[in-house]
Amino acid sequence: MKFFFAFFLLITSNGFFAISADFIPVPAADIVRHTYYTLSYNEQFEQANWVYYILTDSMAINSGEKRKNNFKIDKLVLTGSAKSSDYTKSGYDRGHLCPAADMGFDPIAMEESFMMSNISPQSPDFNRGIWKELETLVREWAKKENKIIVVTGPVFIANKGSIGFDKVTVPGSFFKIIYDTTDEPKLIAFILPNAKSNRPITDFAVSTDEVERLTGYDFFSELPDEQETKLESLVSLAGWFEGYASEEHTEKPNQPLSEPINSDFNFYLILVLIIFIVILFIALKGRKRR
């Protein structure tokens, strides 16, 4: 029975990829295709630019495959992928882009999730904290929506140096975009700094346009133009998080990846300048009277 279910998932998921293959981000260079996910490998930074996969309710529900923790060099990367040893004693986790927990429905899927091409250096507090929280949410959304498309990867801005013999870049942030393909499609995107955070996930929701601006990739370009423009330009939490009405589509301004300059400092600086101008005005007026 288990074999039949695995075979069924393999056939249906391949069908899903055939249907949704055009949603792969562009430009699409150095593509590596595994059974259940596809990635674009970045030789300069020794990790994926992005990882693309489909997650269904059946996959998320039937996730009983035991985690193996067997990290392997990805032999499909022609230039050679990073090695597990690059991360040893680096202070960074071997962070999954396509999570192992998403691939627990099948032994092949679980094994392939530990390919080093699917791994990026992540702060332990980030990987085991807010990133894990978002990954759990994605699985819940897959169960609810029947089928979602996930694109995830690093944002190479404000990077934190490199690790290991292969000089694997430590990204400053990570993004995740989730597309619900139901009759009323919806799209949500996140950018999270590669650091510990106690803030709610919703604080990190951004427009897909913002992710495109920061990464240089065009996501879901095969959607009809009008639909793509509408979905990608807005930040809508409705349908994803409880407590948000369906008509709530609010556009958010571009947010910097680094911490903004203290707004209190700016306020007091402007206040001091205003006071100085007022004093100068009074002083000049007093001179004229003399």
Side-chain angles (χ1 to χ4, degrees):
M1 184 68 182
K2 187 174 181 181
F3 173 79
F4 174 78
F5 176 73
F7 179 76
F8 173 77
L9 279 175
L10 178 61
I11 297 298
T12 54
S13 65
N14 285 340
F16 288 152
F17 271 103
I19 294 170
S20 302
D22 289 338
F23 288 145
I24 287 177
V26 292
D30 299 313
I31 295 297
V32 175
R33 296 183 184 274
H34 289 292
T35 310
Y36 294 99
Y37 68 88
T38 299
L39 64 90
S40 164
Y41 196 78
N42 190 316
E43 175 62 23
Q44 178 185 354
F45 298 129
E46 289 293 4
Q47 61 204 281
N49 291 308
W50 48 259
V51 172
Y52 170 100
Y53 66 101
I54 292 169
L55 188 62
T56 69
D57 53 350
S58 297
M59 292 174 179
I61 292 168
N62 296 282
S63 57
E65 192 67 31
K66 187 177 180 181
R67 183 184 172 106
K68 301 292 176 59
N69 289 328
N70 185 18
F71 295 93
K72 294 181 178 180
I73 294 172
D74 191 342
K75 295 181 180 180
L76 295 183
V77 176
L78 298 180
T79 54
S81 72
K83 306 175 186 66
S84 181
S85 58
D86 287 320
Y87 290 70
T88 303
K89 297 182 179 180
S90 68
Y92 288 95
D93 280 359
R94 299 168 181 86
H96 283 72
L97 297 175
C98 174
D102 285 12
M103 299 288 107
F105 58 87
D106 178 78
I108 294 175
M110 176 61 73
E111 181 181 355
E112 290 184 341
S113 75
F114 285 90
M115 294 291 179
M116 289 304 299
S117 57
N118 183 43
I119 304 300
S120 283
Q122 294 183 341
S123 162
D125 288 334
F126 170 76
N127 181 39
R128 306 169 202 182
I130 195 167
W131 189 246
K132 183 178 180 180
E133 183 182 344
L134 180 55
E135 291 174 336
T136 302
L137 268 176
V138 168
R139 286 189 290 277
E140 292 305 312
W141 290 335
K143 295 174 187 176
K144 176 184 175 183
E145 305 297 348
N146 301 127
K147 186 181 86 170
I148 57 176
I149 297 174
V150 184
V151 189
T152 186
V155 179
F156 297 115
I157 296 175
N159 297 329
K160 302 180 178 183
S162 61
I163 59 172
F165 179 81
D166 289 309
K167 302 296 181 184
V168 182
T169 298
V170 181
S173 300
F174 288 88
F175 74 87
K176 196 179 290 287
I177 306 172
I178 303 96
Y179 176 50
D180 168 27
T181 64
T182 54
D183 292 338
E184 295 183 7
K186 57 184 182 292
L187 192 65
I188 192 167
F190 301 89
I191 295 178
L192 299 92
N194 187 8
K196 180 179 180 179
S197 177
N198 295 318
R199 292 164 58 189
I201 291 286
T202 50
D203 282 3
F204 299 97
V206 298
S207 68
T208 301
D209 282 345
E210 176 68 356
V211 182
E212 291 180 337
R213 184 183 73 84
L214 294 171
T215 63
Y217 290 98
D218 187 1
F219 301 99
F220 302 100
S221 59
E222 292 302 316
L223 287 172
D225 289 343
E226 184 177 347
Q227 184 182 38
E228 181 186 6
T229 299
K230 179 181 178 181
L231 290 174
E232 294 191 355
S233 63
L234 301 174
V235 181
S236 178
L237 304 179
W240 302 102
F241 295 91
E242 292 183 3
Y244 293 89
S246 59
E247 66 271 12
E248 289 186 67
H249 285 75
T250 54
E251 199 162 2
K252 295 176 74 174
N254 293 337
Q255 298 181 1
L257 293 180
S258 57
E259 287 297 319
I261 297 173
N262 193 321
S263 58
D264 289 341
F265 175 80
N266 289 337
F267 171 78
Y268 287 116
L269 178 62
I270 293 170
L271 184 62
V272 169
L273 287 172
I274 292 172
I275 293 172
F276 175 76
I277 292 170
V278 170
I279 293 173
L280 183 62
F281 175 77
I282 293 173
L284 290 174
K285 194 171 182 180
R287 283 189 177 183
K288 288 181 179 179
R289 287 179 179 175
R290 292 177 186 175

